[in-house]
Each structure stands twice: as structure tokens, then as C-alpha cells.
Amino acid sequence: MAEEGDRSNESVRKEAVAANPDRGVAAIKPQFLTTKDAFHAYVDADGKENPEESVASEHCNDNDDCNYAAEPPEKKAKLDEEDKKRARGQNKSRPHVKYHQLEQNRLCPSIVQECASRCFYGNKCKFLHDPEKYMSGKLEDIGPKCYLYENLGKCIYGISCRFAKSHLDDGYKNLINEELVKQQEGKVLVRNSLDKNLQAQLRKKKYCFEKSMKYLKHLYEYRKKSWNKEKKAGVKGESQGNTREDAAPRGGDLDVCVNTAGGSKGSEEAETAQEATLVTMGAITDEDVIKLRPCEKRTIDFRGKLYLAPLTTCGNLPFRRICKQYGADITCGEMAMCTSLLQGFSSEWALLKRHHSEDLFGVQLEGAFPDTMTKCAELLNKTIDVDFVDINVGCPIDLVYNKGGGCALMTRTTKFEDIVRGMNLVLDVPLTVKIRTGVQEKNNLAHKLIPELRDWGASLVTLHGRSREQRYTKLADWEYIKQCAKLADPMPLFGNGDICSFEDANRALETGVSGIMVASFWLKRLLLGFEFCCTEY
């Protein structure tokens, strides 16, 4: 009796899920659901019984309407135990539709956008133009409510939407909620998309990097002079212990050089052409003539804020939106390769997208050389909307480290300084840096670099309490972070590593850091940010 009750409860639950899918619950087709008894029977039979056939026969009717049961026998047949070689070649017996037949059953975009009077393809159109015929062969809706219609007032997919019944009238016309549409007017939900014209310029290498080229030219001349001095002094090769005078020129010297050095003929022609087509409105400023001083740049008060770490492959825009709802104050995009951005790769530019709910947002760049990093910083400064730019000097993976990027920059101090000074020169927003304790576990380098980063112009340094050798093993060294926080003053320093609860966050703040960065633990428990907010973080 108890087993029959359990079976009836399971069947009732399946029917309830299929009939009334809740918001936020992924709907699963009934033919893919199973029961505990069927699963245990399959396990007891050592996999000899085909579970797919039992599931299909349980949920499919006599008319065999289920697509699952319509699989060809060749696809379901198993190979003999003696012949375990993988079957190769195309499965020509699979159920498929030819391309020209698919076009005939697909609705024309002009019907979807409700502009049938002007079809995009004219008389050559091969798509379907009859809404009634399309609806007769369309699959059933996934659910009763359309998210776009409920929140934005209009669904851009119209009759082709898989939730179309919630916003279609009797004549298959798309309904529009005028009040919600007016509320959304002028709002851009996602910013920082890649413009096609910009992508074409980057791919053809026709984009003008005026400030970066002046900085790099001056940097090359300065290095050349220092190399000649070393040759005359009989010093062979690059010296390992560069003094402050042998490093890159001071920020003030670079500002004078960049603003007074004459550009090439091509750049002058580009400037005159740009000035001729430029239309100004409002107050006229002199930012194009006189560069902003460091004290005039936009500043951000990072202190006391909860920083969501830029998680590679995980910290995408939907994930950041959820974390923002749970209390994250600062969000940052995933690590983007500067070389891929300069080449105009759409997949890399997608990492820079920003949702309107992210009020304090930055992007993280990875690179190994001053030319590419400086050019990329100037490009982003002109084309996208960000509040700060972060340099990744903490990536431990071999692919990045072997090319001189990530943690390798901590041992390449000359290149590191050139990158920081160059990016700080061309950016109008604060520049931040994320580092580790060092490369080797017992050889810390962060305490030497943090005072230098403060002098080079960094606005914030985030220190992960592990070395590259440790990766993500062992505990983070918060005692060392405490020492570095004292050296960084007055520049804010954030700590990162092993923050798994409010108690951990509270202990981290007692070390004297200006704030904390929470990383992978967001993946394990998103309510962590909500816990911080409710406990007077």
C-alpha cells in the first residue's frame, strides 16, 4: 500500500509540474521523467534492459505521438560486446528535415515583426507567410507566461515566441502593454556592445591610437638612451636591479611629452577631419587640448565595499546580476585578453558588457607588453562605459604565465611599470591592479610592489593571499595581507581568499584592509552576499 501511495504521489507531481510550471523552474518533458522503481529495476538488471523503451512506452500513447519513441531502431541498437569499435560515419537513417523543407515551414521575419507589406526578400522569399498554417504546425508553448511581455511590455519574437499565447490576440497579433513600454523608453539594459564599424576598423588596423603611440615613442627613446649609457659603461644585457632613475619616465614628464610632441602627418590629417565633422553641444571644454591632471581624474571611494571577483568562465553578466541582488557593491567583468580585443573578436568583447543594474562596474585586462595594454586601455576609454579598469597580475594558469602575463608580471617589474604608467596615462577612469603574494610559495613579492604601484598611479590594489604555486590550495595568508595593508596606506588595499562566511569577512576587516573581495564562494552559496547585508557589513 505504501509503494502504491508513493507511485501515485510521483505521478501527481509529474502532472502538476507539466500542467503548471512555476516561474524560475525549468520545465522537463514528461517522456524524460522516470520513477525510483524504474531506475532501481534498471540498476538491478545491470543495464541489460533499455530504460529508454520503458520510459517511452510508459508515457507514449497508442498513436505514438512522442518523438522520443520515434527514434529509429538503428540508433537504439547496441553494439555487440565483441565489436566495441565506435560506429563512424553519418547516421543517414536519423529523422531529419531537408533545408528547403525547413524554410517552407519557418515563418518569415516580416510576419514576426508585423510588417508583412514589405517583405525583406520580396518575391524570392521562401518562408511561410500564413500565420494560421504556422500556428497549426507549431509546437506547444513551454509555459503560460512570457518574461519579456510581463517585464518590458512587448515581446520582440511575436508569434514565434514559445510563450506566445500570453501575448497574442485572436488574429495572431502581438499585444503591447503601452504603460510598460513607456517606462522602458530611453533605458539601455545592456551596454558596451561591439559596434560593427569599430570592429571593421580594428580588423583592418585602421584605428588611431594617438596617445598610446606618443607614449610608446617617448618610452622607446628613453629606453634607447639608457641602453646606450649601459653600453658605454660596459654593462652587457639588461640589469636586474633597476633603480628609480632607470625605470620608465615620471608621469609628469610623460604628460608633457604626450601633449607637446608632434604627431605624424596621418594623425594630423585625422585630427583635422575629425574636428570638421565634430558637432558640439553644451559647454565647451579644453580636455582635447589640456590633459586632465591626476588630481582632476574621476575618483572612486572603494573603501568598505563588497567586491565581486572577476571569475573567469563563471562571472558572466547573468551571474553578476544575481550577485548584485544579493549585496555585491563592485562588479567586474571576466578577464579579457587585450590582443583579442584589439583584433575585434566578438566573443572577447562580449565579456565587457554591462547591465544597467551594475552601478559600479569595471573590466579586467590581461596582457604582457606595454604596447598592447596601453592601446587596449585607450580603446576602451573611448568606446565603452566603465568606472574603472583592472590589470590581472594574479592569473596562475600556464597559458598566460608562459607568455609573460598574469603572475609573471610580478617578476618583470620594468614591463609592469611601463604598463601601469602607460594605461594610467591614457585612461580617464581609475586604474586598479589585482596581484598575488608572489610566484613561489616561500618568496613573497607583493610587499615590494605595493609601494611602487602606489607611486605609479594605481588607485586600488587587490591582494590574493596565495602564491602562483599554491594556486587555490592551502589557506590564504592573512597575516601577510595585514602587513601589506599597512604599506599601501593611503592607497586602499582589498584582501581576497578563504572568505566563506560573515565571521570570515569580519576577521578579514580586522586586519586593516579597506575592503574584501569575494570570489569562488559565490558559486557555492549566493546567499553569502545577503548575509553580509543583513549583518551590518
Side-chain angles (χ1 to χ4, degrees):
M1 296 295 291
E3 293 180 356
E4 293 179 358
D6 294 339
R7 293 176 183 175
S8 61
N9 292 334
E10 288 184 3
S11 60
V12 170
R13 179 180 59 81
K14 293 179 188 177
E15 294 176 358
V17 170
N20 301 314
D22 297 331
R23 183 177 181 180
V25 177
I28 303 176
K29 292 183 177 181
Q31 58 263 33
F32 293 106
L33 297 176
T34 185
T35 61
K36 291 183 180 179
D37 296 337
F39 175 74
H40 288 298
Y42 173 73
V43 173
D44 295 338
D46 295 332
K48 295 181 180 179
E49 182 182 359
N50 192 349
E52 298 176 352
E53 295 179 356
S54 61
V55 173
S57 60
E58 181 179 352
H59 295 284
C60 296
N61 52 17
D62 297 336
N63 296 328
D64 199 13
D65 293 333
C66 296
N67 294 329
Y68 192 85
E71 294 287 351
E74 292 82 359
K75 191 173 182 179
K76 293 182 179 179
K78 295 183 178 180
L79 296 175
D80 298 332
E81 295 183 0
E82 298 178 356
D83 187 11
K84 294 184 178 180
K85 294 183 180 180
R86 182 180 177 184
R88 300 184 181 275
Q90 185 180 13
N91 182 15
K92 297 183 179 180
S93 60
R94 72 190 188 281
H96 64 282
V97 181
K98 294 184 179 180
Y99 185 74
H100 68 276
Q101 295 176 351
L102 185 63
E103 286 184 342
Q104 295 176 357
N105 298 328
R106 184 180 296 177
L107 199 62
C108 181
S110 62
I111 302 297
V112 176
Q113 300 177 12
E114 296 184 352
C115 53
S117 58
R118 49 183 184 88
C119 179
F120 303 111
Y121 305 101
N123 298 329
K124 298 181 180 180
C125 183
K126 299 179 181 180
F127 295 107
L128 190 63
H129 282 257
D130 188 359
E132 294 184 0
K133 184 178 179 181
Y134 173 78
M135 290 298 294
S136 63
K138 184 185 175 184
L139 298 176
E140 290 293 329
D141 287 353
I142 298 175
K145 297 179 181 179
C146 178
Y147 177 84
L148 296 178
Y149 178 71
E150 287 188 346
N151 292 274
L152 305 180
K154 181 180 178 180
C155 179
I156 59 176
Y157 300 102
I159 190 174
S160 63
C161 177
R162 293 302 306 274
F163 308 90
K165 290 183 179 179
S166 61
H167 52 79
L168 290 181
D169 58 8
D170 297 335
Y172 303 115
K173 295 293 184 181
N174 199 20
L175 300 177
I176 300 176
N177 190 336
E178 299 294 344
E179 295 182 359
L180 290 177
V181 171
K182 289 182 180 179
Q183 293 177 4
Q184 298 296 330
E185 284 183 357
K187 291 184 179 180
V188 181
L189 299 180
V190 179
R191 288 171 282 178
N192 299 346
S193 298
L194 177 59
D195 183 66
K196 292 297 181 183
N197 296 329
L198 175 62
Q199 187 180 32
Q201 290 180 4
L202 292 174
R203 289 181 174 178
K204 296 178 181 179
K205 297 183 180 180
K206 292 184 178 181
Y207 191 86
C208 180
F209 299 97
E210 180 188 359
K211 296 180 181 178
S212 300
M213 295 305 296
K214 289 180 180 179
Y215 167 76
L216 295 172
K217 181 180 178 181
H218 179 62
L219 181 64
Y220 173 74
E221 293 175 354
Y222 186 87
R223 293 293 182 211
K224 191 175 181 180
K225 291 179 181 178
S226 63
W227 294 336
N228 292 334
K229 289 181 181 179
E230 290 179 356
K231 275 188 176 182
K232 291 180 180 179
V235 179
K236 295 182 180 180
E238 185 179 358
S239 60
Q240 298 297 327
N242 289 335
T243 61
R244 189 176 300 277
E245 290 77 16
D246 293 332
R250 288 291 188 175
D253 299 337
L254 288 174
D255 291 343
V256 174
C257 174
V258 170
N259 289 301
T260 58
S264 61
K265 184 177 179 181
S267 62
E268 292 178 358
E269 293 177 355
E271 289 179 2
T272 55
Q274 186 176 4
E275 291 176 358
T277 58
L278 185 63
V279 179
T280 60
M281 295 181 65
I284 299 177
T285 63
D286 56 356
E287 292 181 1
D288 56 339
V289 180
I290 303 174
K291 182 173 176 59
L292 294 175
R293 294 178 296 173
C295 61
E296 296 174 336
K297 277 189 176 184
R298 178 185 175 185
T299 58
I300 299 175
D301 186 11
F302 293 101
R303 300 178 185 274
K305 290 182 171 59
L306 181 61
Y307 193 164
L308 172 64
L311 300 169
T312 304
T313 69
C314 300
N316 50 25
L317 189 142
F319 176 78
R320 297 197 305 269
R321 287 180 60 185
I322 297 173
C323 295
K324 191 68 181 174
Q325 295 175 1
Y326 282 108
D329 298 317
I330 307 172
T331 55
C332 187
E334 301 177 58
M335 180 185 70
M337 302 287 186
C338 64
T339 52
S340 300
L341 293 175
L342 292 173
Q343 294 173 9
F345 290 162
S346 302
S347 58
E348 206 72 18
W349 277 81
L351 305 177
L352 311 179
K353 289 186 177 180
R354 175 182 186 174
H355 194 258
H356 69 90
S357 62
E358 298 179 276
D359 51 355
L360 191 52
F361 173 76
V363 295
Q364 187 181 69
L365 300 180
E366 184 279 323
F369 302 99
D371 54 346
T372 53
M373 290 290 282
T374 306
K375 289 180 180 179
C376 188
E378 182 180 1
L379 173 65
L380 300 185
N381 189 61
K382 293 180 180 179
T383 55
I384 67 173
D385 178 23
V386 291
D387 298 310
F388 65 92
V389 176
D390 185 72
I391 305 176
N392 188 341
V393 196
C395 184
I397 62 176
D398 297 335
L399 179 65
V400 175
Y401 181 82
N402 293 337
K403 293 181 180 180
C407 285
L409 283 176
M410 299 186 70
T411 58
R412 303 169 68 224
T413 52
T414 304
K415 295 291 184 185
F416 192 13
E417 181 179 0
D418 295 344
I419 290 173
V420 175
R421 288 192 183 276
M423 293 180 67
N424 191 42
L425 180 68
V426 300
L427 285 173
D428 296 331
V429 294
L431 179 67
T432 65
V433 182
K434 186 175 185 294
I435 62 176
R436 284 179 175 252
T437 58
V439 179
Q440 284 81 23
E441 183 178 355
K442 297 181 180 180
N443 186 15
N444 294 331
L445 301 173
H447 65 281
K448 301 178 183 178
L449 289 174
I450 288 174
E452 298 292 336
L453 288 169
R454 180 185 58 205
D455 298 335
W456 298 342
S459 301
L460 168 71
V461 173
T462 304
L463 177 58
H464 186 180
R466 294 183 178 92
S467 64
R468 178 183 179 265
E469 281 186 349
Q470 291 178 265
R471 296 290 181 108
Y472 303 98
T473 60
K474 300 185 180 181
L475 296 177
D477 190 354
W478 278 94
E479 287 297 326
Y480 182 68
I481 295 176
K482 183 178 180 180
Q483 299 174 12
C484 294
K486 296 178 181 178
L487 296 173
D489 191 66
M491 179 184 66
L493 184 136
F494 274 45
N496 172 231
D498 297 335
I499 300 176
C500 302
S501 64
F502 169 73
E503 289 78 9
D504 295 337
N506 194 22
R507 284 193 295 268
L509 292 173
E510 291 176 355
T511 60
V513 295
S514 303
I516 56 175
M517 173 185 282
V518 183
S520 301
F521 196 77
W522 283 91
L523 300 172
K524 301 177 183 177
R525 190 174 65 185
L526 283 174
L527 291 177
L528 176 65
F530 181 72
E531 181 184 350
F532 286 154
C533 295
C534 293
T535 329
E536 297 182 358
Y537 168 69

